[in-house]
Amino acid sequence: MSEDEIAETTAPDLDGPFRVDVVGDMTIEWDVPIVVDDGNVLRADVFRPTAPGDYPVVLTYGPYGKGKPFREYQAESYRAMLAMHPEIAEGTSGKYQVFELVDPDRWVPDGYALVRVDSRGAGRSPGVLDPLSEREIRDLYECVEWAGSRSWSNGKVGLNGISYFAMNAWQVATLRPPHLAAVIAWEGAADWYRDVTYHGGIHTTFENLWYGAIAGGAQHGLGERGGRNPITGQLVCGDQTLSPEELAANRVDMPAIDKSHPLVDDHHRARTRDLSQIRVPLLSAGNWGGLGLHLRGNTRGFELAGSDQKWLAMHDETHFSLFYADYGVDLQKRFLGHFLKAEDNGWDEQPRVHLRTRHADGRVGERVSSDWPLPETQWTRLYLSADHGLNADHGLITDHGSMTTTPAPDHASVSYSGKEGRAAFSYVVPADIELAGPVGAKLFVESSTADADLFLVLRAFAPDGTEVTYQGANDPHVPISQGWLRASHRAVDPQRSRPFLPLHPHDRVEPLKPGTIYEVDVEILPTSLMLPAGFTLALDVQAHDYVHRPAVEEAEAHANPRTSFTGSGPFLHADPTTRPDDVYAGTVTVHTGPEYASHLILPVISD
């Protein structure tokens, strides 16, 4: 659309939109005020059909700045996405496309009104920045009700966005706003402790990076430092330019607060609601490669949600590419069209579970089922044997330990350094095998110190020793799956645990007694894999984050000023103050044999 085809109207009411643009068949209201119950004024951009009518609403509320076009503020990611899926650029100007939100050019012509709200304390919405707090979720509730009561709304509001916009969708859906009619949670964590801040009780440093990016690039009050909306000329992060001290006073120190709460308590519970209270139709769309953040939320969220009408769709590729590609847009529009517009579009025949299945050679297939975990799963145990030890060096399996379908006949053990070491166990697949679902592990371990952090990595290797990795949500070389457990958090909830999915309350610390063998159950995140006969499946039990050695070598050979991810993306556990050497750098020993039957539980699919 050329500039001379835009009719611009500046609103005379200071309490109304900043301005209104009519762009052909689309009307855009910029910076509309939404007054919430405590008097704070949130700001939203509204994109809707120009023709009079009642339209369903797709709403999002988040902290990244609604005035930052994707193609300008995340230019490299945008170009990479288009290279993977050129169809994303078809039929759109791209100028209104914002990171992790739906594109107005592709949605408004289909009769949807889009509402984008800057969350409290971010973008153009004033207030204290406190992401995913109870105050924020109440704001989102009120935004849903505001949108559902507009003159141009049909009274039905759907939530649809990636990551943060899915995380708060889980939360607000439990409050059941009357106008909320459907939710799409696309790659969204659901448990603040287990998915975001602590993996198996081990503190992750990702939050430092994430929250720093918000505070440095999108907090309200950045003023001139936050950039301008290239369409309206407005400052993206508010008209005032506050000092660093003023900005700090206007945000909670989330990383420090979370670090000071190493156990599940009221602080974490306030950001993790009871998903069984969700009643609206739900589509949970997860990414097999989202190991460090969102994957668990999508599968557990689907299981726990109380909705009678709920669907799970699992995909591959990067964090956002398929959301914008035809695959994702078609899925989203069929779901929302059915529930927001009563369209007869075939959604009533959509399989309850749809998986894009990964193959060892990089191909992607599909599988449908009636539930999750898949009812047709044959839960299969592979028993660890430490007879040979086991080691993986630079991605190549050498002749050490093994896994077998029967328990090892004799007791054996393998030890490694709790700071840098590992023990690994391998199994050569005798026939083609498909895995699809959660993975569990039971280990018998001892430590020379009062605790041990266990990092479990499920890996696959071709017959020539080349490791099979995949494009992850954030990292180009992620392993098959990962799991974590701080051994002092080994207590499980017997009522909610299953052999393939142990659930740890993480509400107490039970130190280890050096020299004593303990039984521990470890949750390994769900996976999808078609592995041909002759390939090797391996389990590494180690003391550190997974590293894909070829990625390290490539990064060293091609010095890059940008951060290079080497297998675990930004989801690392590298804060030494949470893993002091005197507690976590001892000797860890894994025991196997008839009395100590350490094993994996795999989700083998049989047609």
Side-chain angles (χ1 to χ4, degrees):
M1 191 68 62
S2 63
E3 293 299 323
D4 59 1
E5 295 177 278
I6 299 176
E8 176 186 322
T9 303
T10 301
D13 184 355
L14 295 178
D15 293 328
F18 169 72
R19 83 180 200 199
V20 178
D21 293 346
V22 178
V23 188
D25 295 332
M26 180 165 65
T27 293
I28 309 170
E29 297 177 84
W30 299 101
D31 225 34
V32 179
I34 302 176
V35 182
V36 293
D37 61 352
D38 67 348
N40 197 46
V41 180
L42 306 174
R43 290 287 173 172
D45 294 337
V46 178
F47 302 79
R48 56 184 175 83
T50 299
D54 299 333
Y55 300 102
V57 181
V58 177
L59 183 142
T60 48
Y61 170 104
Y64 300 135
K66 61 183 175 55
K68 292 186 171 185
F70 193 170
R71 67 185 185 184
E72 296 188 26
Y73 284 87
Q74 291 92 11
E76 186 173 341
S77 295
Y78 186 77
R79 288 193 296 269
M81 179 179 72
L82 294 188
M84 295 176 68
H85 293 282
E87 77 270 17
I88 293 173
E90 296 174 4
T92 174
S93 69
K95 63 191 298 183
Y96 306 114
Q97 199 170 25
V98 174
F99 184 61
E100 298 189 338
L101 304 182
V102 300
D103 183 355
D105 279 340
R106 302 190 76 182
W107 283 76
V108 173
D110 283 348
Y112 290 92
L114 309 184
V115 176
R116 297 172 170 170
V117 187
D118 275 338
S119 59
R120 182 181 295 243
R124 295 194 58 80
S125 294
V128 175
L129 183 65
D130 190 5
L132 294 162
S133 62
E134 292 180 289
R135 176 65 259 180
E136 261 211 10
I137 303 307
R138 182 65 201 181
D139 285 348
L140 177 51
Y141 180 107
E142 297 204 18
C143 289
V144 169
E145 292 305 287
W146 178 90
S149 61
R150 297 303 94 192
S151 62
W152 37 259
S153 168
N154 73 351
K156 294 184 177 182
V157 178
L159 303 178
N160 181 24
I162 309 173
S163 190
Y164 194 94
F165 306 96
M167 293 168 69
N168 60 23
W170 289 118
Q171 309 300 315
V172 77
T174 68
L175 302 181
R176 305 180 197 170
H179 286 99
L180 183 62
V183 168
I184 297 178
W186 195 283
E187 298 192 33
D191 187 313
W192 187 249
Y193 184 90
R194 295 168 180 84
D195 298 351
V196 183
T197 56
Y198 290 84
H199 294 151
I202 308 171
H203 181 258
T204 171
T205 57
F206 166 71
E207 187 181 18
N208 299 332
L209 176 67
W210 169 73
Y211 196 52
I214 295 174
Q219 185 179 355
H220 182 81
L222 284 172
E224 292 289 349
R225 299 194 299 273
R228 290 185 179 272
N229 183 324
I231 300 170
T232 66
Q234 280 185 299
L235 290 169
V236 171
C237 298
D239 297 326
Q240 284 186 301
T241 300
L242 302 181
S243 69
E245 293 76 20
E246 290 172 316
L247 288 168
N250 279 347
R251 64 176 182 263
V252 300
D253 189 347
M254 284 190 68
I257 293 172
D258 285 325
K259 187 177 175 182
S260 70
H261 290 265
L263 297 174
V264 172
D265 56 14
D266 289 343
H267 165 74
H268 293 289
R269 293 187 191 102
R271 286 174 167 80
T272 304
R273 295 178 182 269
D274 179 4
L275 301 187
S276 70
Q277 297 303 309
I278 297 175
R279 296 290 185 269
V280 296
L282 166 71
L283 171 60
S284 177
N287 188 325
W288 299 119
L291 296 173
L293 185 59
H294 295 307
L295 168 58
R296 186 181 186 277
N298 283 109
T299 54
R300 288 294 291 153
F302 170 80
E303 283 193 86
L304 296 173
S307 306
D308 292 330
Q309 300 181 91
K310 59 181 179 179
W311 289 263
L312 176 67
M314 296 298 299
H315 56 262
D316 52 321
E317 292 197 13
T318 70
H319 184 38
F320 47 79
S321 56
L322 287 179
F323 179 83
Y324 293 106
D326 286 350
Y327 161 82
V329 174
D330 174 71
L331 191 68
Q332 297 156 40
K333 285 186 176 179
R334 286 194 295 116
F335 174 77
L336 293 177
H338 184 76
F339 290 107
L340 301 187
K341 300 167 72 175
E343 290 180 347
D344 183 11
N345 58 17
W347 185 264
D348 52 357
E349 298 179 2
Q350 175 73 13
R352 187 175 175 88
V353 173
H354 179 272
L355 313 179
R356 282 171 59 95
T357 56
R358 303 182 299 185
H359 291 240
D361 61 3
R363 290 180 296 116
V364 178
E366 67 174 337
R367 176 171 287 279
V368 299
S369 189
S370 60
D371 208 351
W372 176 272
L374 278 55
E376 58 269 34
T377 303
Q378 293 184 345
W379 300 104
T380 302
R381 285 174 168 79
L382 288 182
Y383 293 90
L384 280 56
S385 173
D387 286 346
H388 308 91
L390 173 65
N391 182 38
D393 185 22
H394 294 283
L396 298 177
I397 291 290
T398 54
D399 185 20
H400 289 87
S402 62
M403 292 186 287
T404 60
T405 55
T406 57
D410 302 307
H411 173 237
S413 64
V414 58
S415 299
Y416 63 88
S417 164
K419 186 176 179 66
E420 297 178 347
R422 65 176 163 182
F425 304 85
S426 64
Y427 173 71
V428 179
V429 177
D432 294 357
I433 187 174
E434 178 182 359
L435 307 178
V439 181
K442 182 182 289 292
L443 300 176
F444 290 85
V445 300
E446 66 172 296
S447 173
S448 65
T449 58
D451 211 342
D453 284 344
L454 305 174
F455 295 73
L456 273 60
V457 187
L458 193 63
R459 307 169 72 188
F461 295 84
D464 66 359
T466 302
E467 184 172 7
V468 177
T469 61
Y470 292 97
Q471 170 65 60
N474 305 93
D475 192 302
H477 298 290
V478 300
I480 305 309
S481 191
Q482 297 189 73
W484 307 265
L485 182 67
R486 176 155 286 183
S488 61
H489 289 219
R490 62 190 177 279
V492 297
D493 182 334
Q495 301 301 317
R496 297 189 299 154
S497 292
R498 290 164 283 178
F500 56 84
L501 185 62
L503 293 176
H504 303 273
H506 296 294
D507 58 0
R508 59 190 181 274
V509 173
E510 298 177 321
L512 308 182
K513 182 178 180 180
T516 300
I517 300 173
Y518 295 90
E519 179 180 342
V520 299
D521 296 283
V522 185
E523 175 186 0
I524 299 176
L525 296 175
T527 191
S528 161
L529 176 65
M530 290 284 291
L531 202 60
F535 278 60
T536 294
L537 192 67
L539 174 68
D540 285 6
V541 182
Q542 58 191 41
H544 54 84
D545 288 304
Y546 167 78
V547 175
H548 183 59
R549 295 297 178 186
V552 175
E553 294 166 3
E554 181 179 356
E556 292 173 347
H558 303 88
N560 191 322
R562 297 180 67 249
T563 300
S564 297
F565 294 145
T566 56
S568 293
F571 310 109
L572 304 175
H573 308 79
D575 183 346
T577 66
T578 64
R579 301 184 65 210
D581 284 355
D582 61 334
V583 179
Y584 297 99
T587 298
V588 178
T589 302
V590 179
H591 292 265
T592 66
E595 186 179 357
Y596 304 110
S598 297
H599 61 268
L600 273 177
I601 302 179
L602 297 173
V604 178
I605 305 303
S606 176
D607 291 311

